């Protein structure tokens, strides 16, 4: 496929991918201060494949949300043409699946081939890939052929210059747009000198852009040092990690801002984009460094919420104002959605405001089971559930069809299963059929199970080989609807 993006990797100053640091607030701040390209933190392919892409209309972001409702990756229009999504992967097909999931929201895709940490290498990812050139070639070739956005990778150097250059030449042949090189071996740490000579040898050996990385300790203390490091490595661009983590205004040509101002700018983005307070706290601690023992540092360390972080930095008013604006926007959108729901509501759907509370039912007995049993008794087709998810708050609503009549609850639930149970309750109550609640007294499904279990035991005592009791079969098992839950149109 043809790359159809203007993203260029020559003459650029780039925010490096950093675990726990490269989230949306830091990326936006780096762009504000002059970074040309920003990389997100490494995100593992398997985790990303479990995520759903959700439009967050309150924050005006695109969120990739895990099954536990945790936001794994959040991005926005401001960075769409300059953010590179870095993933950890050791499998070409998984990498391609993730790339296709996110490519419409990012400017490029990067494969991490340099992280020496165990959480990355134990799965064959990160620096572990450096010892498997065939796998590297497979992953990168699959990505280059499979997506429209530019593909890059980030490596560390090998024990010898010759081996490193040969590997990079092989990588170049896959068709990637650029390669980032951390000028240290996988066993070396930041205190070890960066090998500028090796990065320079790579730059001279290939025609694709080479992005030099690893200069924060030895070279980059202010903006002018970025060019010094670039010249020392003869690289096309420079990627900055720790120097930017300590003070992202390192990207400013005019010179860095005072740290207090930088931290306040960071907090504004963290509040504006609802960044989790633990991540915000971590990044601020990296900026404070030796000031962690000051009064402000101790307040930050003790903070247990975004609000407390704001209070520690004398930004309580900003927090109150911003969260009030976001809450008002959320309320407005919810009202608009409800109005739209009412306008397009099917008049033939019978509705009630009910929720399923499992504490009101015996163990393993649910309204869906009762409804299924009633349909079989009355010789109706089994109930059909249609469930949708609302993008704004990711809540679910289900409509059940029984004997050509539709039923649903007007209350939206936090899971697909709860929404379906609520729909079943509406149907059962409309029909005047018991739903299995503890307060209804004797439960015929439980009694039926007990009778069948007793028959099973008696027959077994008499040496008869019989099938399992029916409640362990389908006729007392909730029928499950399609697991792919569509989202409501926005």
């Amino acid at each position: 496929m043809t790359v159809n993006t203007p993203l260029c990797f020559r003459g650029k100053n780039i925010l490096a991918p950093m675990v726990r640091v490269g989230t949306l607030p830091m990326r936006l701040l780096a762009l504000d201060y002059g970074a040309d390209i920003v990389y997100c933190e490494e995100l593992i392919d398997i985790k990303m494949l479990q995520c759903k892409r959700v439009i967050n209309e309150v924050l005006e972001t695109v969120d990739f949300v895990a099954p536990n409702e945790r936001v794994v990756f959040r991005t926005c229009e401001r960075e769409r043409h300059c953010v590179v999504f870095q993933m950890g992967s050791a499998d070409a097909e998984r990498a391609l699946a993730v790339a296709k999931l996110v490519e419409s929201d990012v400017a490029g895709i990067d494969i991490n081939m340099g992280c020496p940490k165990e959480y990355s290498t134990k799965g064959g990812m990160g620096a572990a890939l450096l010892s498997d050139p065939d796998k590297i070639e497979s992953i990168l070739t699959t990505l280059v052929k499979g997506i429209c956005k530019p593909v890059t990778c980030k490596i560390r150097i090998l024990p010898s210059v010759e081996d490193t250059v040969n590997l990079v030449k092989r990588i170049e042949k896959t068709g990637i747009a650029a390669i980032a090189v951390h000028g240290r071996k996988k066993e070396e740490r930041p205190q070890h000198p960066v090998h500028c000579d090796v990065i320079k040898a790579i730059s001279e050996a290939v025609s694709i852009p080479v992005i030099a990385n690893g200069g924060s300790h030895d070279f980059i203390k202010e903006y002018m040092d970025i060019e010094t490091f670039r010249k020392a490595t003869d690289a096309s661009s420079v990627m900055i990690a720790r120097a930017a983590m300590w003070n992202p205004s390192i990207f400013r040509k005019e010179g860095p801002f005072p740290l207090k101002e930088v931290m306040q700018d960071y907090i504004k983005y963290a509040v504006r984009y609802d960044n989790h307070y633990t991540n915000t706290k971590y990044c601020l601690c990296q900026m404070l460094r030796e000031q962690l023992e000051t009064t402000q540092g101790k307040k930050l360390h003790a903070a247990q919420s975004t609000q407390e972080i704001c209070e520690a930095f004398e930004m309580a008013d900003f927090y109150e104002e911003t969260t009030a604006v976001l809450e008002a926007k959320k309320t407005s959108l919810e009202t608009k959605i409800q109005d739209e729901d009412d306008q397009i509501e099917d008049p033939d759907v019978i509705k009630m405001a009910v929720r399923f509370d499992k504490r009101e039912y015996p163990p393993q007995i649910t309204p869906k089971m009762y409804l299924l049993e009633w349909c079989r008794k009355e010789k109706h087709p089994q109930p059909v559930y249609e469930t949708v998810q609302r993008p704004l708050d990711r809540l679910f609503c289900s409509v059940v069809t029984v004997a050509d009549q539709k039923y649903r609850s007007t209350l939206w639930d936090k899971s697909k299963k709860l929404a379906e149970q609520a729909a079943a309750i509406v149907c059962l109550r409309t029909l005047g059929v018991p739903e299995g609640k503890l307060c209804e007294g004797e439960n015929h499904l439980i009694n039926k199970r007990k009778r069948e279990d007793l028959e099973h035991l008696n027959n077994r005592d008499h040496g008869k080989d019989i099938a399992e009791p029916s409640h362990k079969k389908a006729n007392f098992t909730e029928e499950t609807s399609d697991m792919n839950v569509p989202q409501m149109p926005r």
Side-chain angles (χ1 to χ4, degrees):
M1 292 185 180
T2 303
V3 172
N4 60 357
T5 174
L7 191 64
C8 170
F9 292 92
R10 294 189 185 276
K12 306 298 182 183
N13 293 332
I14 302 170
L15 178 70
M18 291 179 279
V19 173
R20 297 184 69 185
V21 174
T23 48
L24 184 58
M26 180 62 80
R27 299 196 304 266
L28 294 178
L29 196 57
L31 291 173
D32 286 350
Y33 291 149
D36 301 299
I37 299 171
V38 291
Y39 278 58
C40 76
E41 62 177 334
E42 177 194 26
L43 297 169
I44 306 303
D45 55 3
I46 295 175
K47 289 185 178 180
M48 282 300 299
L49 289 176
Q50 297 172 349
C51 292
K52 294 176 297 185
R53 181 182 183 274
V54 177
I55 304 295
N56 188 324
E57 296 189 30
V58 176
L59 300 179
E60 298 177 3
T61 59
V62 177
D63 298 344
F64 291 84
V65 185
N68 63 0
E69 299 300 310
R70 185 175 71 89
V71 176
V72 175
F73 176 60
R74 171 168 285 162
T75 185
C76 66
E77 182 63 27
R78 164 79 171 86
E79 66 170 4
R80 188 160 69 92
H81 297 295
C82 46
V83 62
V84 176
F85 180 89
Q86 188 187 67
M87 79 173 91
S89 181
D91 180 88
E93 294 307 316
R94 283 203 305 267
L96 180 59
V98 173
K100 287 183 174 180
L101 177 67
V102 303
E103 73 168 319
S104 63
D105 302 302
V106 300
I109 301 294
D110 181 83
I111 296 295
N112 180 355
M113 299 182 179
C115 180
K117 302 290 186 180
E118 184 183 358
Y119 64 79
S120 187
T121 58
K122 68 181 179 182
M125 301 175 291
L129 286 170
L130 296 176
S131 59
D132 195 343
D134 290 340
K135 186 173 286 187
I136 289 177
E137 185 175 337
S138 172
I139 293 172
L140 295 178
T141 301
T142 299
L143 287 174
V144 170
K145 291 181 178 178
I147 64 173
C148 296
K149 297 294 172 71
V151 177
T152 65
C153 68
K154 184 172 183 287
I155 69 167
R156 283 190 172 230
I157 62 175
L158 299 177
S160 76
V161 177
E162 182 181 3
D163 288 344
T164 306
V165 170
N166 288 338
L167 175 63
V168 174
K169 284 183 176 179
R170 185 170 179 180
I171 288 173
E172 181 182 30
K173 291 178 181 178
T174 65
I176 64 170
I179 183 168
V181 180
H182 184 153
R184 293 184 178 86
K185 301 167 188 175
K186 64 181 181 180
E187 66 273 9
E188 292 180 328
R189 293 297 175 263
Q191 63 269 24
H192 293 100
V194 60
H195 299 277
C196 292
D197 57 325
V198 180
I199 301 178
K200 186 174 183 179
I202 294 170
S203 300
E204 294 171 348
V206 297
S207 58
I208 59 173
V210 173
I211 305 167
N213 174 234
S216 291
H217 188 275
D218 300 326
F219 284 87
I220 303 172
K221 302 294 183 281
E222 57 184 17
Y223 180 83
M224 296 302 296
D225 298 335
I226 300 174
E227 179 62 14
T228 302
F229 183 52
R230 192 199 65 77
K231 287 181 178 178
T233 57
D234 200 23
S236 302
S237 298
V238 172
M239 177 178 279
I240 307 172
R242 286 175 307 128
M245 175 181 70
W246 296 328
N247 188 333
S249 66
I250 188 76
F251 290 106
R252 289 189 77 245
K253 293 179 182 179
E254 303 82 1
F257 281 129
L259 188 59
K260 180 179 179 180
E261 185 175 340
V262 172
M263 297 177 81
Q264 288 177 335
D265 286 346
Y266 177 85
I267 291 170
K268 288 177 182 178
Y269 273 132
V271 176
R272 165 67 182 84
Y273 288 102
D274 194 25
N275 200 49
H276 196 279
Y277 87 90
T278 56
N279 180 252
T280 301
K281 182 175 174 178
Y282 177 83
C283 291
L284 292 171
C285 285
Q286 304 313 304
M287 295 183 203
L288 273 180
R289 300 168 70 194
E290 65 272 7
Q291 298 179 42
L292 280 172
E293 293 304 315
T294 63
T295 301
Q296 188 175 61
K298 290 177 180 178
K299 286 182 180 179
L300 173 62
H301 191 268
Q304 294 299 310
S305 67
T306 298
Q307 183 174 2
E308 290 180 8
I309 290 173
C310 288
E311 290 170 355
F313 286 84
E314 300 176 349
M315 297 177 66
D317 289 344
F318 173 82
Y319 175 82
E320 294 295 338
E321 292 168 6
T322 304
T323 53
V325 168
L326 293 175
E327 191 61 36
K329 187 174 183 181
K330 180 179 179 181
T331 301
S332 175
L333 286 168
E334 287 175 342
T335 302
K336 180 182 176 182
I337 289 173
Q338 188 60 55
D339 290 343
E340 291 173 351
D341 289 350
D342 294 340
Q343 291 174 11
I344 64 173
E345 188 64 73
D346 187 341
D348 295 327
V349 177
I350 295 176
K351 301 181 290 292
M352 292 183 193
V354 299
R355 278 202 172 94
F356 170 69
D357 185 346
K358 65 179 182 180
R359 294 171 297 182
E360 297 178 350
Y361 297 81
Q364 301 178 345
I365 297 295
T366 66
K368 284 182 68 176
M369 295 172 64
Y370 260 73
L371 183 56
L372 179 62
E373 175 71 4
W374 181 84
C375 287
R376 287 174 171 161
K377 180 180 177 182
E378 298 297 322
K379 296 184 168 34
H380 291 308
Q382 70 181 40
V384 176
Y385 295 86
E386 298 175 88
T387 307
V388 296
Q389 185 180 30
R390 193 162 60 189
L392 175 64
D393 50 19
R394 302 197 288 274
L395 295 180
F396 295 83
C397 178
S398 185
V399 176
V400 63
T401 302
V402 174
D404 297 324
Q405 177 62 58
K406 296 181 177 181
Y407 307 84
R408 83 167 179 89
S409 172
T410 57
L411 305 179
W412 291 66
D413 273 296
K414 62 182 179 181
S415 77
K416 175 176 174 286
K417 290 181 178 180
L418 290 174
E420 290 179 351
Q421 296 290 0
I425 292 172
V426 175
C427 179
L428 290 165
R429 291 184 184 178
T430 302
L431 296 171
V433 177
E435 59 194 75
K437 293 178 74 171
L438 291 167
C439 63
E440 291 176 354
E442 190 174 21
N443 190 303
H444 77 276
L445 275 184
I446 292 180
N447 290 337
K448 192 170 185 179
R449 287 187 174 189
K450 288 179 179 178
R451 287 196 302 271
E452 288 169 346
D453 283 343
L454 185 59
E455 290 174 10
H456 177 71
L457 291 172
N458 289 337
N459 286 322
R460 189 176 64 183
D461 290 341
H462 287 86
K464 295 182 181 180
D465 183 17
I466 64 169
E468 286 185 325
S470 58
H471 70 265
K472 295 185 180 178
K473 294 185 180 179
N475 53 322
F476 286 103
T477 304
E478 295 178 13
E479 299 292 338
T480 57
S481 53
D482 190 346
M483 291 301 291
N484 294 318
V485 180
Q487 289 189 355
M488 293 182 63
R490 291 176 279 123

